[in-house]
Amino acid sequence: MSNTPLQLAVIIGSVREGRFGPVVASWFTEQAKRHGLFEVDVIDLAQADIPLELPAVPPAMDPNPQRPDGMADLTRRLTAADAFVIVTPDYNRSIPASLKAVIDWHFTEWDAKAIGFVGYSGASGGLLAIEHLRQIFNELNAHTVRNYVSFPRYYLLFDEEGRLREPDEPATAATAMLDQLHWWASALTAARSLESVG
């Protein structure tokens, strides 16, 4: 097996004004770097052009979908990733529209890759969004790992500087998820390599 670190894309799923996602993503990115087995790329969807209207032919059926020019960098970074962690709130028992649009604008970029989740919200801690995302990514032939990180009532858990008031338990959960993510990402990356050679 190669000693080259796997590429992990941490995706901030919310784009609304006043969002808390960057705070959670910053905390998780620190955990991932400390874990030491990934090179981490933080993708903020607020910095991409993400039309909600899809093309006439869905990307899943079009080998060369025509995406907006403003999405080119995002697509390149998704393609380069060996694994993903989605940082998401839940809105009305589901996921942000921006996140769903990005998922739907792509197809092969998710195929046979490992995906983990960090959720945050007032009551459920993002678990409703995470469960919805598991169904979506299963349809795209991605593998979602069992472990996750959840922050219910996140506004009470982080201080004014964006630091967790009680960091030990979330850090343990993050490590467990990253361990699973690395195992699956390693296996799937190796399998994709064999498939491309074959």
Side-chain angles (χ1 to χ4, degrees):
M1 184 180 292
S2 171
N3 291 325
T4 304
L6 294 173
Q7 303 296 310
L8 172 64
V10 177
I11 300 175
I12 304 174
S14 173
V15 301
R16 71 177 176 86
E17 186 177 352
R19 65 207 170 122
F20 197 75
V23 174
V24 180
S26 177
W27 171 83
F28 181 77
T29 298
E30 182 181 329
Q31 305 305 307
K33 290 178 177 177
R34 199 173 289 167
H35 187 261
L37 295 179
F38 293 100
E39 286 188 0
V40 183
D41 178 24
V42 179
I43 299 177
D44 187 348
L45 298 188
Q47 298 174 357
D49 177 19
I50 311 169
L52 297 183
E53 183 178 350
L54 292 171
V57 179
M61 301 176 185
D62 185 351
N64 297 296
Q66 294 300 306
R67 300 186 181 97
D69 291 341
M71 198 180 285
D73 182 62
L74 170 63
T75 299
R76 177 189 60 76
R77 292 161 75 184
L78 295 179
T79 302
D82 299 304
F84 303 95
V85 167
I86 313 292
V87 178
T88 184
D90 55 47
Y91 295 162
N92 299 320
R93 305 181 69 87
S94 189
I95 63 177
S98 53
L99 178 55
K100 184 61 164 65
V102 164
I103 294 170
D104 289 344
W105 268 105
H106 298 86
F107 182 71
T108 56
E109 291 76 11
W110 315 112
D111 186 40
K113 292 185 180 180
I115 302 181
F117 304 106
V118 178
Y120 63 96
S121 68
S124 77
L127 294 183
L128 299 171
I130 290 172
E131 287 307 306
H132 194 183
L133 285 166
R134 290 189 191 282
Q135 297 175 50
I136 294 167
F137 281 117
N138 182 62
E139 181 65 20
L140 296 171
N141 196 41
H143 178 80
T144 63
V145 300
R146 179 181 181 276
N147 284 20
Y148 58 88
V149 183
S150 173
F151 294 107
R153 297 183 180 176
Y154 62 89
Y155 43 82
L156 299 177
L157 303 179
F158 290 82
D159 66 18
E160 293 74 15
E161 281 74 46
R163 293 188 298 259
L164 276 171
R165 300 180 192 279
E166 298 182 14
D168 291 351
E169 187 173 340
T172 298
T175 298
M177 183 181 72
L178 286 161
D179 287 345
Q180 285 189 344
L181 197 66
H182 187 267
W183 192 97
W184 279 103
S186 298
L188 290 169
T189 299
R192 290 196 311 274
S193 298
L194 288 173
E195 191 174 71
S196 64
V197 170

